[in-house]
Amino acid sequence: IYQSFIIYWFILGANHNCADASDGRIQEMYSIGMVMYTVIVLVVNLNLAMVINYWTWIHHLVIWGSIIGWFAFIWMYSLVKITVSEDAFYLYYWI
């Protein structure tokens, strides 16, 4: 539970008065949520990696595959034109 509070307050504090675009628009809920979920995926999988005593190929496949799968999904998702949020378009494409 404490990790969730740290992640939440750190990301909100880091993006508090942050201009996202060149025209001065601030980051919106979708951008901050995407960053927050990315950090949560990393923290959960790395915590799981730290508590595993005996590694098998299945552990490697699931842990590293889910991290790589998340970044692949978010990269493909950012290529899709979104009608709800114009700011999420190409959000992770250029990284």
Side-chain angles (χ1 to χ4, degrees), residues 55 57 70 75 84-85:
W55 282 82
W57 67 271
W70 168 250
W75 180 72
V84 175
S85 169

Side-chain angles (χ1 to χ4, degrees), residues 15-60:
N15 292 312
H16 180 58
N17 287 322
C18 174
D20 187 37
S22 61
D23 60 357
R25 293 179 296 164
I26 60 170
Q27 290 184 350
E28 61 179 11
M29 178 181 62
Y30 301 107
S31 301
I32 292 174
M34 214 177 288
V35 171
M36 195 173 295
Y37 195 76
T38 300
V39 171
I40 289 171
V41 166
L42 291 173
V43 167
V44 166
N45 282 302
L46 293 177
N47 276 339
L48 184 61
M50 286 190 298
V51 299
I52 292 176
N53 291 325
Y54 301 103
W55 282 82
T56 64
W57 67 271
I58 297 173
H59 291 106
H60 284 286

